[in-house]
Amino acid sequence: MLSTVKGMIQTLSSTWRGLRKPVTKLYPENPTVLQNRFMGFPGLTWDKDIDEPFCTGCMVCIRNCPTQCMTATMKDNPKFADESSKRRKIVDEFEINLNRCILCGICVDVCNFDAIVMTHEHEESGSYRDGSRMKLDGLLEIGGKYQTQSGWKPAPKD
Amino acid sequence: MIASTGPYFQDAISTLISLLTLFSFLAVTVLSLVWLERKALGRLQLRLGPTRTGPFGLLQPIADAVKLVLKEDIVPNEAEKVIFWVAPIIVVISAFMLWVTIPLTPSIVVQNLENMGLFYVGAVGVIGILGLVLAGWGSANKYGVIGGLRAAAQLISYEIPLIMVFVSIAIVTQTFNLVEIVNLQSPVPFILVLPLGFVLFFVSGLAEVGRTPFDIYFAESEIVGGPFVEYSGAHWAVFFLSEYINTFAIATLTVLLFLGGWSGPFLPSIVWLLIKIYAVILLIFWIRGTLPRLRIDQLMAFAWKVMVPLSFYLVVCCSIYVFYGLPWWALTVMSIFGLGVVGVIIYQYITAPARKVAEVRERLRLLQMSQEE
Amino acid sequence: MMQDQQDNQTIDMMLNMGPQHPSTHGVFRMELRIDGEKIIDVKPHIGYLHRGSEKLSEGEQYHQIITLFDRMDYLANFNNELVYCMAVERLLDMEPSKRTEYIRVILCELNRIASHLLYVGTIGLDAGAMTPALFSFIGRDRIQTLFESISGARMMHNYFKIGGLKQEVPDDFVRMVKDIMPVIRRDIDQTEKLLTFNEIFLSRTKDIGVITAEQAIDYGLTGPCLRGSGINYDVRKSEPYSVYQDFDFDVPVGLDGDCWDRHWVRVKEMHESLRIIEQAIDKLPDGDVASPLGRRLIRPSEGEVYVKAENPRGEIGVYLVSDGTDKPYRLKVRPPSFCNLSAIQLLLQNSWVADSVVILGSLDIVLGEVDR
């Protein structure tokens, strides 16, 4: 009986706490605070010095992806010809099926060019079936957004 | 001929109007209860409760009601169609019929049945059980059958202490008239005269309306809604409605029979009544937010081993009180004595596992001590 | 009519519980044979969540399998990652740095608390109390936010790497861990007041679902289910892995082997985990957490290894066979939930329908791990 009474007092005090300061927050008004390392959907980064993506389409992320959610092709870099860029090849097409992506971050770990990042993007939705397939421009867009938001810098070369 | 039917005709019209008023009053009350429960439980659990619909989510129950009415009303193929349709109606009609004679003030009452009031309440309250059993059986679902049978067992068991409390109050007050009963409480509310009666009435009232810790016949985590498992849409809404009306009725009867009804200083009587009723309802919600659920056998054992003997004891006490013309506090003493004695028994009964736990922990401590040495 | 009167005897009723049932903790199905409200027999059906994790592992490289282990027991991700990483590390015959081990232990113990907090909430829901679930989620949410700030994900972390960690913990890691300790303590206290010693909860769980020590060993129960029956067996103590031998902690043991003892063991384990975390935070050594393997392809030499560890649910074992390629030849998991669930038939016989959900809840199964 005593423990029941204790429980009643506990819930009474929690009601008081709930009336003053409930734990729940209304969602769109108080958006979820994302931690710095939050891993949202992957995005591609943009090399602002040369004005081209970091990605060369080398396929290492695609080979290491546990769910095979990405595809990419590479092409000769036109900027390499006029010597404004050191990249011999550059990404031509890149596609991530965000429905298959499990946000594990392995692609970021294995990338040799710091070309792919886990952005803070996590509220994607689409109304048609192919809407979850994100193409190069979309990936560069969310990657660029992440770059400006978080002040992301490529790792210094050893 | 017309002259002779005139008064009856007028009577019928006025009754109809008051019934309609009652219906709308109860509907509004149910909406307020739904909102209050969701909001109170939310704050109790450090949540917000409904917020999106109107200020403080006040329109949430209306949104719920609209959703429920517009939803498809699914009738299972194997169900007994007639029973399936009739069951909710039986439940809701019994819930409404209860209110015909419950007075909110001496003047606000559909039809004061004078010396039949309390008797009528006790009699009509039982009809709802039939609806629940039929709902469980008619929906051709095993969970429904279990729930319906559980409902029958539980509600009939707890009807006995409830009615015995009515009887003891009738013995003390020498009347079944609810208005009279409230008026007799003007110096001393019956909670002081019959504390045992109050406890009995409140506990069995909780069981009657299936509130935690007695929400056994529709236990969501065990039999997924019991008799209501196959109901959807408007039919389910009707069950929902009757559940809240019954909760409100039990709270109202508690206030009328034990807490002095509408009597109170300064404020108008109806306001006092509503304040008291909502206080009791908040207590019910508070209990719901705290306690786990009993098991069906524990519930039945509690009813037949504790509640029923206690209620008979109360009747005997009241008879002695009336027969010898004792002062009112003598009844309090007897009542508290009974409550104390049985309280100890309940304590022993209910804390047997707790004591075993203490014993086990003591043994464990000794074991650990011996290991350390 | 005549026929009815002649054999006027009751027959048992089959009651199908699950896979769509609020209290079967996922997609678990029980065929109950009941007489009134008494359960006579039960036939469990599993496999609704089978994803073939073990077979999938044979087609994945060693560093990709960590993601599969994340999804096996989805309430104890770090513990699962740890046991897999330990297995591959033993195959490679390498040892991660001390700092790596300490951080791993802290995260695993936090995850154990998070898992047990969820258990406390669900057993409350099974017994009909809705408030403990919401209270215990406050602490669990804080822990998951901490995980998010460390690993970037709230549940599927993929943070432990073979031979190290994915990246160094944030600078204010120690402060963050110390900050959430009082929150967790308060949550445990609240649930103790609301549930553990509540008389109704006691009467619902004490002497319900009793399994004796001998039976528990026969059925291969591990973890809190075994310790609830009074057997002091904890892999962290009996065969210390990682750096558990550095810490001073007790193994709580029940006596009767009923639902309440299993519950109590888990509640006590949360306190012990807090003790371990405190010690580990104090002793946290400096050093490097990056894996010495770097981005190299992991290609262990031929061999096989069996590694076991203590998960929140019991002893998890990983049997890993390597044929010298970059993918394992065979990977077999001994899932604690699956072995604990095997006792369900014994436990449910002659109990009440209402007790079945409590007993199932007290076993604390995760269907992702049962079906793999």
Side-chain angles (χ1 to χ4, degrees):
Chain A
M1 227 53 187
L2 277 175
S3 191
T4 306
V5 175
K6 264 189 210 165
M8 296 289 280
I9 292 164
Q10 173 71 50
T11 41
L12 191 66
S13 72
S14 80
T15 313
W16 175 240
R17 206 144 65 87
L19 282 170
R20 284 186 304 128
K21 220 175 107 190
V23 174
T24 322
K25 298 271 184 292
L26 286 179
Y27 168 56
E29 290 89 340
N30 306 297
T32 325
V33 183
L34 295 180
Q35 307 296 323
N36 286 336
R37 291 184 177 179
F38 177 78
M39 295 197 293
F41 291 121
L44 295 179
T45 49
W46 189 260
D47 192 344
K48 285 172 184 158
D49 299 339
I50 315 174
D51 208 28
E52 65 180 10
F54 277 108
C55 182
T56 58
C58 70
M59 303 270 289
V60 68
C61 52
I62 288 142
R63 270 181 277 118
N64 277 286
C65 180
T67 55
Q68 292 92 39
C69 69
M70 320 185 200
T71 52
T73 51
M74 62 163 70
K75 63 178 180 191
D76 289 333
N77 192 357
K79 286 191 181 171
F80 182 73
D82 55 23
E83 295 192 348
S84 59
S85 167
K86 284 181 191 164
R87 291 186 186 87
R88 201 181 299 260
K89 300 276 182 186
I90 197 93
V91 61
D92 181 24
E93 277 172 27
F94 202 104
E95 184 188 286
I96 300 183
N97 186 347
L98 297 183
N99 273 358
R100 290 195 74 159
C101 178
I102 57 171
L103 311 180
C104 63
I106 285 180
C107 45
V108 182
D109 290 347
V110 296
C111 182
N112 294 316
F113 304 102
D114 293 316
I116 191 163
V117 285
M118 301 308 272
T119 65
H120 284 182
E121 217 59 43
H122 63 288
E123 286 160 321
E124 295 288 328
S125 66
S127 49
Y128 56 100
R129 195 168 42 169
D130 255 6
S132 58
R133 288 171 181 273
M134 206 173 241
K135 296 284 190 323
L136 182 63
D137 36 347
L139 291 167
L140 283 170
E141 191 194 322
I142 61 170
K145 202 173 142 202
Y146 174 74
Q147 259 176 295
T148 46
Q149 268 176 6
S150 66
W152 177 88
K153 293 255 184 330
K157 290 276 178 290
D158 296 331
Chain B
M1 198 167 167
I2 291 164
S4 64
T5 51
Y8 293 109
F9 186 67
Q10 274 181 2
D11 217 27
I13 290 287
S14 70
T15 310
L16 202 64
I17 289 169
S18 45
L19 276 177
L20 280 175
T21 320
L22 175 72
F23 185 84
S24 29
F25 167 73
L26 284 179
V28 172
T29 307
V30 167
L31 295 185
S32 78
L33 284 187
V34 173
W35 179 83
L36 187 69
E37 169 153 40
R38 294 182 63 168
K39 211 69 184 169
L41 273 181
R43 294 297 175 161
L44 189 146
Q45 291 158 349
L46 306 175
R47 292 186 288 118
L48 290 168
T51 52
R52 294 294 175 201
T53 40
F56 307 108
L58 272 168
L59 299 177
Q60 182 67 40
I62 295 168
D64 281 353
V66 170
K67 184 262 289 182
L68 282 173
V69 171
L70 293 181
K71 249 172 102 167
E72 186 192 356
D73 201 346
I74 301 164
V75 182
N77 262 350
E78 297 290 315
E80 293 279 343
K81 300 278 182 311
V82 178
I83 295 178
F84 192 83
W85 279 80
V86 162
I89 297 168
I90 294 176
V91 173
V92 81
I93 281 180
S94 85
F96 271 112
M97 274 166 73
L98 203 62
W99 278 90
V100 168
T101 193
I102 293 179
L104 294 177
T105 60
S107 49
I108 304 179
V109 55
V110 177
Q111 184 71 56
N112 193 355
L113 293 173
E114 300 297 332
N115 278 331
M116 289 291 280
L118 210 49
F119 177 80
Y120 175 83
V121 169
V124 169
V126 192
I127 297 176
I129 303 171
L130 178 66
L132 290 176
V133 179
L134 287 183
W137 187 257
S139 53
N141 185 307
K142 287 171 182 175
Y143 289 110
V145 174
I146 294 177
L149 295 179
R150 276 186 184 190
Q154 172 183 346
L155 300 188
I156 289 170
S157 307
Y158 279 88
E159 202 66 45
I160 296 169
L162 208 64
I163 287 169
M164 283 301 148
V165 173
F166 287 167
V167 169
S168 47
I169 282 181
I171 292 173
V172 172
T173 58
Q174 304 283 318
T175 179
F176 270 146
N177 190 337
L178 280 162
V179 179
E180 282 283 296
I181 290 171
V182 174
N183 288 339
L184 281 167
Q185 294 182 47
S186 52
V188 193
F190 281 166
I191 186 170
L192 296 178
V193 183
L194 294 165
L196 175 60
F198 173 74
V199 172
L200 284 178
F201 186 83
F202 188 68
V203 172
S204 39
L206 281 183
E208 277 297 303
V209 294
R211 284 268 153 194
T212 315
F214 304 109
D215 56 341
I216 286 164
Y217 64 82
F218 56 86
E220 299 103 3
S221 63
E222 293 154 21
I223 50 171
V224 284
F228 317 141
V229 65
E230 292 287 358
Y231 283 90
S232 62
H235 275 83
W236 192 81
V238 164
F239 276 122
F240 199 65
L241 189 72
S242 60
E243 192 191 319
Y244 276 90
I245 291 172
N246 279 333
T247 309
F248 194 66
I250 286 293
T252 312
L253 282 172
T254 313
V255 171
L256 289 180
L257 298 180
F258 293 101
L259 298 178
W262 47 77
S263 52
F266 309 126
L267 295 171
S269 48
I270 181 79
V271 177
W272 265 113
L273 187 82
L274 287 178
I275 287 174
K276 287 175 182 175
I277 291 173
Y278 277 95
V280 173
I281 280 174
L282 279 175
L283 177 65
I284 293 175
F285 292 164
W286 179 19
I287 290 172
R288 182 179 170 203
T290 310
L291 295 180
R293 185 187 304 121
L294 280 167
R295 206 171 53 211
I296 183 76
D297 62 320
Q298 291 164 344
L299 174 96
M300 299 300 281
F302 187 63
W304 292 99
K305 289 179 187 164
V306 180
M307 301 292 283
V308 171
L310 260 185
S311 60
F312 282 113
Y313 169 79
L314 185 68
V315 172
V316 172
C317 285
C318 292
S319 314
I320 293 171
Y321 160 77
V322 171
F323 188 76
Y324 291 104
L326 299 170
W328 68 265
W329 48 264
L331 198 51
T332 316
V333 171
M334 284 194 278
S335 196
I336 286 176
F337 173 74
L339 202 61
V341 169
V342 179
V344 170
I345 297 169
I346 298 172
Y347 189 74
Q348 298 278 329
Y349 166 77
I350 209 166
T351 55
R355 273 182 288 116
K356 193 171 174 198
V357 166
E359 193 187 307
V360 163
R361 292 164 91 205
E362 180 64 23
R363 259 154 63 200
L364 197 68
R365 198 176 59 81
L366 292 175
L367 197 75
Q368 276 173 352
M369 274 169 65
S370 65
Q371 277 175 354
E372 279 163 18
E373 285 163 13
Chain C
M1 201 59 173
M2 285 298 287
Q3 190 65 29
D4 281 354
Q5 279 166 356
Q6 271 167 12
D7 45 23
N8 188 8
Q9 48 191 318
T10 59
I11 54 162
D12 303 333
M13 182 161 90
M14 299 299 295
L15 185 69
N16 184 35
M17 208 179 229
Q20 286 91 16
H21 186 279
S23 298
T24 48
H25 294 244
V27 281
F28 176 57
R29 173 172 166 229
M30 292 187 285
E31 258 181 52
L32 303 177
R33 197 147 66 81
I34 56 175
D35 177 15
E37 291 246 351
K38 275 268 182 216
I39 297 170
I40 295 172
D41 198 12
V42 57
K43 205 165 152 198
H45 294 262
I46 58 169
Y48 291 92
L49 200 55
H50 178 63
R51 294 157 296 181
S53 298
E54 287 173 4
K55 188 70 192 168
L56 277 176
S57 304
E58 293 169 18
E60 303 270 8
Q61 292 169 0
Y62 279 95
H63 68 287
Q64 295 173 329
I65 296 173
I66 300 171
T67 59
L68 288 170
F69 269 79
D70 268 336
R71 282 153 182 81
M72 215 172 271
D73 179 352
Y74 42 75
L75 298 179
N77 320 76
F78 276 134
N79 302 58
N80 275 21
E81 287 178 18
L82 175 66
V83 65
Y84 172 72
C85 289
M86 284 196 315
V88 183
E89 279 156 18
R90 198 169 295 177
L91 260 185
L92 292 165
D93 204 18
M94 64 179 289
E95 281 229 337
S97 68
K98 268 276 182 252
R99 185 178 170 81
T100 307
E101 299 267 34
Y102 270 75
I103 291 170
R104 279 180 180 182
V105 165
I106 292 170
L107 294 177
C108 283
E109 292 306 315
L110 277 172
N111 211 336
R112 188 184 308 275
I113 295 170
S115 169
H116 283 343
L117 278 176
L118 185 93
Y119 155 78
V120 168
T122 50
I123 191 86
L125 284 177
D126 288 345
M130 63 192 295
T131 310
L134 291 140
F135 280 178
S136 62
F137 262 70
I138 297 170
R140 186 176 152 81
D141 188 68
R142 289 293 297 271
I143 293 175
Q144 283 185 319
T145 310
L146 175 74
F147 288 167
E148 188 191 323
S149 68
I150 293 167
S151 71
R154 292 174 78 83
M155 283 179 89
M156 310 302 170
H157 313 289
N158 194 21
Y159 183 62
F160 294 177
K161 295 288 165 187
I162 292 150
L165 300 175
K166 189 166 128 190
Q167 63 203 104
E168 178 59 82
V169 288
D171 297 335
D172 52 351
F173 172 68
V174 173
R175 188 186 53 76
M176 283 193 293
V177 174
K178 279 183 176 162
D179 274 358
I180 62 169
M181 303 284 257
V183 180
I184 300 165
R185 284 235 163 75
R186 196 187 62 201
D187 279 356
I188 301 171
D189 287 350
Q190 275 179 343
T191 51
E192 267 190 29
K193 274 184 202 151
L194 277 178
L195 208 61
T196 310
F197 293 105
N198 183 297
E199 279 81 5
I200 297 179
F201 182 72
L202 271 166
S203 63
R204 281 300 300 277
T205 51
K206 200 69 199 161
D207 291 332
I208 304 295
V210 181
I211 185 160
T212 61
E214 289 78 29
Q215 283 170 330
I217 292 172
D218 288 350
Y219 275 91
L221 301 195
T222 45
C225 298
L226 179 69
R227 292 196 283 278
S229 297
I231 292 170
N232 191 339
Y233 174 73
D234 188 323
V235 184
R236 291 176 294 173
K237 275 275 185 205
S238 61
E239 292 169 53
Y241 54 94
S242 198
V243 283
Y244 274 107
Q245 67 273 20
D246 294 2
F247 306 120
D248 173 37
F249 64 99
D250 295 327
V251 178
V253 173
L255 275 184
D256 297 342
D258 52 24
C259 290
W260 192 84
D261 273 8
R262 294 195 275 274
H263 173 81
W264 184 76
V265 164
R266 288 194 180 97
V267 173
K268 285 284 152 197
E269 258 184 30
M270 288 196 263
H271 287 292
E272 297 303 326
S273 294
L274 285 175
R275 269 177 72 190
I276 295 175
I277 295 165
E278 271 169 358
Q279 293 170 39
I281 280 284
D282 288 342
K283 289 194 220 167
L284 189 65
D286 291 332
D288 194 18
V289 297
S291 169
L293 297 168
R295 287 174 185 170
R296 247 177 292 152
L297 195 61
I298 298 158
R299 213 189 279 269
S301 52
E302 268 183 60
E304 55 184 58
V305 65
Y306 181 79
V307 172
K308 57 185 174 180
E310 186 74 16
N311 252 22
R313 265 147 215 89
E315 178 193 315
I316 184 169
V318 170
Y319 178 60
L320 191 58
V321 183
S322 161
D323 56 356
T325 59
D326 58 342
K327 292 167 184 170
Y329 175 73
R330 174 84 170 97
L331 191 146
K332 169 86 179 84
V333 181
R334 179 218 186 267
S337 297
F338 176 73
C339 298
N340 291 350
L341 186 63
S342 66
I344 192 81
Q345 210 157 4
L346 173 85
L347 289 172
L348 283 194
Q349 264 164 13
N350 294 320
S351 67
W352 299 83
V353 172
D355 283 338
S356 64
V357 292
V358 176
I359 291 169
L360 190 65
S362 78
L363 289 178
D364 192 19
I365 53 164
V366 166
L367 263 298
E369 194 184 46
V370 173
D371 297 340
R372 277 160 293 153

